[in-house]
Amino acid sequence: MSDIAFATLGELARGLAAGRYSSVELARLYLDRIDRANPALGAYVSVDREGALKLAEAADARRRAGYGLLGPLDGLPVAVKDLCDIEGQVTTAGSQAWTQRRSAVTATAVTRLVDAGMVVLGKTHMVEFAFGGWGTNPVMGTPRNPWDLVRARIPGGSSSGSGVAVAAGLAPAALGSDTGGSVRIPAALNGITGLKTTRGLISLHGSVALSHTLDSIGPLTRDTRDALLLTQALSGPDPRDPVTQAVPAFRFHEPAAGAQPLRGVRIALMPPAQYPIAVDAAVQGALDDARRVLAGLGADLVEAPFPFDFHDMMLRNGQIIAAEAYAQHRDYIEDGNLPLGPHVRSRVLAGKHVSAADYIRALQAHAAACEDWRNWMRDYDALLAPCLPFAACPLEEVDEAATPLAAFTRPGNYVNASGLALPAGFTADGLPIGVQLLGKPNGEGALGRIGMAFQAQTDWHLRRPGLAAIGL
């Protein structure tokens, strides 16, 4: 059943419907893979074997009794980033200082997964307090990118464990969060799909905040269709998160068929001269290939002068994150007796020096940029851009003081875009490369249409890492 571990949620659902396996058998398959591989990969910080099997048994009982499905995800396994509370369980948010922190509530996102009949396997590892794009965690341990088992490479953050778990077949899907790229970065580095959702589309109630202005929750999956199905289950108003009241729930629709399913779709291209950072030749090559595929599917791709400064937006986004992260953690961030990672501590402390006037000005600029983005995107369905400037580098090359991985992703949060990271190629030494689509607020459906058409024409998302060295 090892091939099943790399199946999409849709494929797993069809297998359940056909009786090829039960929900309990599926849960045990993933739990067994976690037992064997997690010591080497470090994707999970905790595994709820007993709870997962009970949820799976309930799904099987519903199916046997003929009560009908709770939805298209009923009985399917999923993992949850360890900043989502589950009542009675420990939520560390990646911090050794929080290993005794038991949750008093369950996050709305988790509740909606369970309401949809999903089987929660456990909590995935992350960068401490979700504040970092490399995926490193020097105190709790850094998950290992499964595409290189010889030389340890970055998994991407902050949803590092979620990216590794899906890429290695330790879960078919996982929740992440994205404040400056924390869903899209690990998706691109691990060769999977990641959807950054519009702020307010998915409730943040019960999720540890990094930046209440910029945070969003989104899925990491094997393909775009799975990401949309999860978003449908997760979205909708929540009285405990007022921001959700103004955002309509997402509804998934199967895309149109045909030889050119993207006819009439307009996609903007950022001119390379306006890139905020130089990209590797392999990254540009993958982007050029993606452009040709999308054009062949009928899309109209337009390279036009770009009226936004991605570098400036990245810096402004970082200022808001730092200020709000400091407000979140100020009561203990300077306590030298707590085992906090030095780099995350320094990032949070940077927010201490953001004045009230500078913070207000940053919020005003953020609101203006959101309006400018909405106006500019009236002419387009998406912007195609690099997701990252390079593929996963070795851990020893990480510069914790630099933020190159956020160069193309943070601006999407700053303008409240929807965003989709798609596998789009590999380097000469076999490391995944991702591209990024940025869309309008609440543009998940348009991005999904493009992503599904792209993945129907390519096989990058079907490739998997070699894991024989760790017994898989």
Side-chain angles (χ1 to χ4, degrees), residues 36-202:
R36 286 187 284 155
N38 204 57
L41 297 179
Y44 285 82
V45 69
S46 63
V47 179
D48 185 10
R49 174 178 289 272
E50 181 181 357
L53 291 175
K54 286 182 178 178
L55 289 170
E57 289 166 0
D60 286 337
R62 286 193 296 274
R63 197 178 293 271
R64 286 193 304 269
Y67 285 117
L69 300 180
L70 296 178
L73 303 172
D74 199 354
L76 301 178
V78 68
V80 174
K81 185 175 181 178
D82 194 30
L83 54 62
C84 292
D85 284 329
I86 299 177
E87 185 176 357
Q89 295 189 21
V90 170
T91 299
T92 71
S95 181
Q96 183 70 39
W98 284 17
T99 55
Q100 302 303 312
R101 177 187 177 273
R102 291 203 173 269
S103 302
V105 301
T106 297
T108 298
V110 177
T111 298
R112 288 185 173 166
L113 293 178
V114 175
D115 287 347
M118 298 200 80
V119 175
V120 179
L121 298 170
K123 300 280 202 77
T124 53
H125 216 337
M126 57 181 285
V127 175
E128 189 169 22
F129 300 147
F131 205 170
W134 296 104
T136 53
N137 189 321
V139 181
M140 292 276 281
T142 298
R144 181 165 192 152
N145 191 309
W147 288 92
D148 190 344
L149 299 181
V150 175
R151 190 179 188 186
R153 293 180 180 270
I154 58 169
S158 65
S159 308
S160 51
S162 291
V164 171
V166 176
L170 307 187
L175 283 192
S177 66
D178 196 311
T179 308
S182 291
V183 163
R184 291 161 290 158
I185 293 171
L189 291 175
N190 288 282
I192 60 174
T193 302
L195 180 62
K196 180 252 174 226
T197 60
T198 305
R199 181 172 176 266
L201 183 64
I202 299 173

Side-chain angles (χ1 to χ4, degrees), residues 68 116 123 163 169 227 286 293 299 318 335 383 441 464 467:
K123 300 280 202 77
V293 170
D335 185 346
L383 167 71
R464 62 185 72 169
L467 301 172

Side-chain angles (χ1 to χ4, degrees), residues 332-340 345:
Y332 42 80
I333 195 66
E334 295 183 80
D335 185 346
N337 294 317
L338 292 178
L340 301 176
R345 192 195 296 265

Side-chain angles (χ1 to χ4, degrees), residues 145-411:
N145 191 309
W147 288 92
D148 190 344
L149 299 181
V150 175
R151 190 179 188 186
R153 293 180 180 270
I154 58 169
S158 65
S159 308
S160 51
S162 291
V164 171
V166 176
L170 307 187
L175 283 192
S177 66
D178 196 311
T179 308
S182 291
V183 163
R184 291 161 290 158
I185 293 171
L189 291 175
N190 288 282
I192 60 174
T193 302
L195 180 62
K196 180 252 174 226
T197 60
T198 305
R199 181 172 176 266
L201 183 64
I202 299 173
S203 173
L204 294 172
H205 169 74
S207 300
V208 177
L210 174 60
S211 164
H212 63 265
T213 297
L214 301 167
D215 288 347
S216 63
I217 285 177
L220 294 96
T221 56
R222 304 215 69 80
D223 71 359
T224 300
R225 187 177 188 275
D226 284 359
L228 298 177
L229 288 172
L230 276 169
T231 300
Q232 176 175 261
L234 290 161
S235 72
D238 176 9
R240 294 163 296 185
D241 182 352
V243 179
T244 65
Q245 302 299 314
V247 181
F250 173 75
R251 291 293 174 260
F252 171 70
H253 300 286
E254 293 285 356
Q260 290 196 316
L262 298 184
R263 184 169 293 280
V265 171
R266 284 176 54 83
I267 301 175
L269 294 160
M270 183 190 302
Q274 291 187 270
Y275 286 178
I277 187 173
V279 303
D280 285 354
V283 171
Q284 187 61 49
L287 192 75
D288 293 341
D289 289 343
R291 175 181 184 172
R292 285 189 286 271
V293 170
L294 294 170
L297 291 166
D300 180 21
L301 288 101
V302 181
E303 184 173 302
F306 194 60
F308 300 95
D309 184 336
F310 261 39
H311 181 69
D312 180 66
M313 290 196 293
M314 183 197 75
L315 296 177
R316 290 177 181 274
N317 179 278
Q319 186 180 47
I320 294 173
I321 294 174
E324 295 183 352
Y326 178 71
Q328 172 81 8
H329 301 291
R330 61 183 174 182
D331 290 343
Y332 42 80
I333 195 66
E334 295 183 80
D335 185 346
N337 294 317
L338 292 178
L340 301 176
H343 304 297
V344 168
R345 192 195 296 265
S346 66
R347 287 176 203 137
V348 174
L349 283 173
K352 182 178 182 179
H353 307 294
V354 178
S355 70
D358 287 342
Y359 175 64
I360 291 170
R361 186 175 301 162
L363 292 181
Q364 291 170 338
H366 161 61
C370 289
E371 181 65 21
D372 291 343
W373 176 258
R374 286 193 295 269
N375 291 333
W376 188 72
M377 284 297 293
R378 288 174 183 167
D379 295 329
Y380 304 104
D381 296 286
L383 167 71
L384 175 66
C387 190
L388 304 175
F390 47 78
C393 66
L395 283 180
E396 64 266 23
E397 295 180 7
V398 168
D399 178 359
E400 293 284 1
T403 56
L405 297 182
F408 291 96
T409 57
R410 270 191 190 174

